[in-house]
Amino acid sequence: PRALVASVVAARLAAAYAPAEALRHLERALELWPGVPDATERCGIDVVEVLGMAADAAYAAGNLEQSLALYDEALAEIDETAAGERAALLLAGKANTMQDLGRDEDTRANLEHALSLVPTDRPSVARAVVLVALAGLPMLAMDQEPAVWERAAEEALAASRAAGAREQEAIARVILGAALAYSRRPEQGMPELRAGLELAAALGEHALVLRGYLNLSDTLELVGRHQEAADEAYRGLGVAARVGLTQHPYGLYLVYNLAESLMSLGRWSEAGQLLTDALDPRISDAVVRAMLTMRSATLAALAGRYDDASRDMEELRRLAPATDAQWELPLALAHSIVAFGQGDLDRARVHIVDGLQSAADDSLTERYRWPLIWFGLRIEAEAAHPDSDRVAHLRPYAAKLSATQAQARAYQALAAAELARATGTPPDWSPAVEAAREAGDAYLLAYALLRGAQRAWTNDDRDAVAALLDEAARLAAQMGAAPLLDEAQALARRARLRVAETTPSQAETERATQPAIDSFGLTDRELEVLQLVAAGRSNPQIATQLFISPKTASVHVSNIISKLGVSSRGEAAALAHRLRVETPELMS
């Protein structure tokens, strides 16, 4: 009996910071439970509660199949008719796990069943939980009009406030913020996202804090604020490292978001290392692993590392895919880029067609459809014999699809120039260069500049060739986009021009290992102090090493915590380690 109670207490203490450890304690409690006749009285909870806690811990630890099995055990122990609200809460938890396993239809069905079990004549936490879960389904965001998603989030928020469910209120505000941003109102969505994040932090709900950073970074990336998106993702990963949730699905999705933003910024070396570090063989969530692998394959192909990309694609074939546009369209693009790079145009074309036909043609998918439209037209423009039927197939997509965000407008401009090339019309690359520059996407800009230089060479405009080619080569070299750099160098040789130094400089190499710290606005002295904080030094030790007073050291630490947007020196140290700002000398 004493061991049982101790196991439950230990699990409660470990749940927030060490879910795998909490799960082990709960597994022991479940083993001991049958041998303690008055287990419920001693522990203050029944076996259903213990099973639910274990299912939550398994989910947080990344053991999704085990989480699902534990939810099923808990549900088998209760009568849905007599305990409808309790069953609904368990079904909502189960649906969350099913969603991460890629079982979208089962997820929705589970939640709709859960909603049927809760009363509608009074506020309840269970109703709030289920409505929030329904509003947060990615498939709702992608398959419905933004206004539908927004209404679902508002209903969930109202139900949460009526029930006094503060945790659900935080989630609902995060969802509503994302819905508003996707409804082309980011100026209203961002405050809701940040408010939800702040509430989650105040409640000490670490997984929810990660969800807030996940949605915030995604929304910032959507509207083309790549550096801010990367900063927020880094902050979220700092929290994950501090509280032991780096393997939580939200922590791993933050890695995916961060890699996407870093690729937009042209920081490919950093993105590649991040993905390599994250793709731990112990990741049991097949969907998350597939997303990270897909991002790695895309990066490798764009960098010209086709063998690495092929290995990643082989790995993807062994993983269970999701079924929403956020997965299917980027996956089709990854397949097409790899096939195109390997010279298999027919296979590349098939992936483009399949991808474009895999999701509803609505405004929410412009983020994922435009890259496919552009790349499909690029394939035809660069083919020795463009396929007129393929061009005719792609043309309506380019004509009908909206382009409300800067990134989408860049792809739209690129697609227009590719369409001109594919149909034998002299293309004007200036709009594409301007749109790519506005979008802040380094690869798209380098590509548009290169094509503009080639067009200027055709027009015998050597001055324009030199200017465009120099910037394209510089960007391609900094990113490590070998295919683009090879093309730029080949054109430079034909034009008998010298382009910018195309080997990354020492400063750029250093930035690849200390990537985003400059974005936080630390002074040189504050950076020195942060390095010492990351090395575990106390304020008096920092003062001694830097020949300053302990009070000055304390002021620097307070300023650093404020600038990094963290809540403690421990969180600042975790973020510093994630950004690799510590030095061997300090760590020795």
Side-chain angles (χ1 to χ4, degrees):
R2 289 173 58 200
L4 172 61
V5 174
S7 296
V8 172
V9 171
R12 288 189 184 280
L13 292 170
Y17 291 91
E21 187 72 16
L23 178 59
R24 285 193 287 273
H25 289 305
L26 291 165
E27 287 173 334
R28 174 59 58 86
L30 289 168
E31 290 174 7
L32 295 169
W33 197 274
V36 181
D38 57 346
T40 298
E41 289 73 19
R42 286 179 176 273
C43 296
I45 55 176
D46 61 12
V47 71
V48 175
E49 184 75 13
V50 177
L51 286 164
M53 290 169 59
D56 289 343
Y59 174 81
N63 302 332
L64 299 186
E65 293 291 353
Q66 184 180 7
S67 175
L68 203 60
L70 287 163
Y71 277 122
D72 284 338
E73 284 188 56
L75 286 162
E77 292 282 338
I78 60 175
D79 179 356
E80 286 186 358
T81 304
E85 291 187 39
R86 194 175 196 189
L89 289 169
L90 288 169
L91 286 166
K94 179 182 176 181
N96 195 41
T97 302
M98 296 170 84
Q99 178 180 314
D100 281 354
L101 286 168
R103 295 167 54 180
D104 290 340
E105 291 184 7
D106 292 339
T107 300
R108 181 181 285 280
N110 234 48
L111 289 172
E112 289 175 347
H113 176 50
L115 190 60
S116 72
L117 298 176
V118 296
T120 58
D121 58 345
R122 58 179 175 82
S124 69
V125 172
R127 181 174 176 79
V129 168
V130 176
L131 286 173
V132 166
L134 278 166
L137 286 178
M139 58 191 297
L140 175 63
M142 297 310 303
D143 293 345
Q144 302 290 335
E145 288 297 319
V148 175
W149 187 19
E150 188 180 328
R151 284 196 298 272
E154 288 173 340
E155 183 182 6
L157 180 57
S160 300
R161 286 173 169 163
R166 298 284 282 164
E167 179 183 344
Q168 301 310 311
E169 179 184 344
I171 302 172
R173 296 195 75 167
V174 167
I175 296 169
L176 178 58
L180 288 166
Y182 273 86
S183 298
R184 305 171 193 172
R185 286 182 286 163
E187 71 286 349
Q188 297 177 34
M190 296 297 178
E192 286 290 346
L193 279 162
R194 294 190 185 279
L197 179 56
E198 289 171 6
L199 178 55
L203 294 171
E205 294 291 339
H206 304 308
L208 180 50
V209 169
L210 296 189
R211 180 171 181 171
Y213 278 116
L214 180 64
N215 281 270
L216 182 56
S217 61
D218 176 71
T219 300
L220 287 165
E221 180 64 23
L222 168 71
V223 298
R225 292 158 63 176
H226 311 301
Q227 184 60 62
E228 292 178 68
D231 292 344
E232 296 298 348
Y234 264 125
R235 290 190 179 101
L237 288 171
V239 174
R242 179 171 63 84
V243 301
L245 294 179
T246 55
Q247 294 299 302
H248 189 284
Y250 291 154
L252 293 169
Y253 278 124
L254 270 169
V255 171
Y256 180 88
N257 279 9
L258 178 54
E260 181 179 15
S261 297
L262 292 174
M263 286 176 66
S264 297
L265 291 165
R267 289 153 52 178
W268 288 10
S269 174
E270 186 182 342
Q273 188 60 55
L274 180 79
L275 291 166
T276 298
D277 292 345
L279 280 167
D280 190 305
R282 294 171 296 176
I283 296 175
S284 60
D285 187 331
V287 174
V288 175
R289 186 174 185 84
M291 294 285 282
L292 295 173
T293 303
M294 177 185 67
R295 179 63 60 191
S296 177
T298 304
L299 177 57
L302 291 173
R305 295 183 284 106
Y306 299 115
D307 289 344
D308 292 343
S310 294
R311 281 192 293 271
D312 284 337
M313 301 312 284
E314 283 298 319
E315 172 71 7
L316 280 172
R317 291 185 182 94
R318 297 197 297 270
L319 297 168
T323 56
D324 57 74
Q326 296 179 74
W327 162 260
E328 290 183 338
L329 275 67
L331 178 61
L333 180 64
H335 275 298
S336 187
I337 291 172
V338 174
F340 180 71
Q342 294 173 328
D344 191 341
L345 267 61
D346 288 339
R347 186 158 57 93
R349 286 162 165 155
V350 168
H351 287 300
I352 293 293
V353 172
D354 289 348
L356 288 172
Q357 293 175 344
S358 67
D361 189 5
D362 59 60
S363 60
L364 284 174
T365 56
E366 69 173 50
R367 180 178 182 179
Y368 305 103
R369 280 180 171 266
W370 270 119
L372 280 172
I373 295 168
W374 161 65
F375 203 76
L377 289 168
R378 175 182 171 180
I379 291 170
E380 301 310 324
E382 297 187 19
H385 303 288
D387 188 326
S388 58
D389 290 339
R390 301 275 182 181
V391 174
H393 177 77
L394 292 167
R395 190 192 291 264
Y397 285 106
K400 292 190 301 181
L401 189 61
S402 63
T404 61
Q405 303 295 344
Q407 195 91 348
R409 290 193 292 272
Y411 282 113
Q412 183 183 49
L414 286 164
E418 303 288 14
L419 179 60
R421 274 210 299 167
T423 55
T425 303
D428 179 6
W429 290 95
S430 298
V433 171
E434 182 178 344
R437 204 181 294 281
E438 179 192 356
D441 189 299
Y443 180 79
L444 297 186
L445 178 57
Y447 179 83
L449 287 164
L450 175 61
R451 294 289 173 256
Q454 289 172 335
R455 182 63 194 162
W457 170 246
T458 301
N459 292 338
D460 199 26
D461 186 348
R462 286 182 59 82
D463 289 341
V465 173
L468 294 166
L469 195 57
D470 186 83
E471 187 178 1
R474 193 188 302 275
L475 284 170
Q478 290 173 356
M479 286 184 291
L484 285 189
L485 182 56
D486 289 345
E487 282 194 69
Q489 291 172 331
L491 178 57
R493 286 192 295 271
R494 290 199 306 275
R496 298 187 178 183
L497 292 170
R498 294 188 63 181
V499 294
E501 174 61 46
T502 53
T503 300
S505 67
Q506 178 68 24
E508 287 155 3
T509 302
E510 290 174 359
R511 279 199 297 274
T513 58
Q514 287 190 337
I517 196 61
D518 291 346
S519 66
F520 292 95
L522 300 183
T523 65
D524 291 343
R525 175 61 86 186
E526 287 168 348
L527 181 57
E528 290 178 322
V529 173
L530 177 58
Q531 290 169 333
L532 289 164
V533 169
R537 304 296 195 267
S538 65
N539 285 356
Q541 289 172 322
I542 292 172
T544 299
Q545 186 149 349
L546 296 181
F547 303 102
I548 58 178
S549 71
K551 182 177 180 180
T552 301
S554 176
V555 170
H556 283 314
V557 171
S558 296
N559 289 340
I560 289 166
I561 289 172
S562 176
K563 288 183 178 182
L564 296 184
V566 296
S567 59
S568 67
R569 66 187 296 133
E571 194 172 321
L575 180 58
H577 284 292
R578 169 61 64 177
L579 301 184
R580 297 187 176 90
V581 298
E582 68 273 26
T583 64
E585 292 78 9
L586 292 173
M587 295 300 289
S588 61

